[in-house]
Amino acid sequence: MSETPPENTDFDAMTRDIAEVPAVEVIVTVAVNLMSAAAVKLGLTEEGDKYKDLDEARKLITALAGLLDASATEISSFHAAPLRDGLKSLQLAFREASIVPDEPGQGPGEKYTGPVYG
């Protein structure tokens, strides 16, 4: 049995809406979503350890670092600087949360950012 989309779903309108969004805004939105998800997986939310999963956090932080590295020349420093600061904070939080910290340069995303020291 296949599900049909609700009758009020207008995919053409959704496509038009996406087409009107500047690329920088899409990149920043994705980066913020990755940061938020990583913070949850690091246990940095009100729920604390309830959703903590360092393996998942590592993946999200690495994806964020790759996105920021790849888009560095595409987004202005106005957008990039706070995202890089947030990334570094997540990398430091990951190092702090790890029972056995990674060697400098081996932590999540550090292949894109270089070693992160506390």
Side-chain angles (χ1 to χ4, degrees):
M1 176 188 261
S2 66
E3 290 185 26
T4 58
E7 289 184 33
N8 63 352
T9 301
D10 184 353
F11 293 108
D12 290 335
M14 290 170 54
T15 301
R16 279 192 304 276
D17 290 345
I18 290 170
E20 294 171 6
V21 178
V24 170
E25 192 173 324
V26 173
I27 293 167
V28 169
T29 300
V30 170
V32 170
N33 284 328
L34 288 168
M35 291 173 115
S36 298
V40 169
K41 296 298 184 178
L42 285 169
L44 301 177
T45 61
E46 289 181 13
E47 293 86 10
D49 289 344
K50 182 176 179 181
Y51 301 109
K52 188 173 184 177
D53 184 333
L54 294 183
D55 185 51
E56 290 289 301
R58 177 184 294 277
K59 293 171 188 170
L60 292 162
I61 295 167
T62 299
L64 174 62
L67 174 64
L68 295 182
D69 183 55
S71 63
T73 59
E74 306 301 325
I75 62 176
S76 67
S77 60
F78 174 79
H79 295 290
L83 295 174
R84 283 192 302 265
D85 290 345
L87 170 60
K88 183 175 181 181
S89 294
L90 291 168
Q91 289 171 312
L92 290 170
F94 184 92
R95 185 171 296 284
E96 196 172 291
S98 297
I99 295 171
V100 180
D102 296 312
E103 291 293 320
Q106 301 302 309
E110 291 183 15
K111 69 180 178 181
Y112 299 107
T113 64
V116 174
Y117 300 99

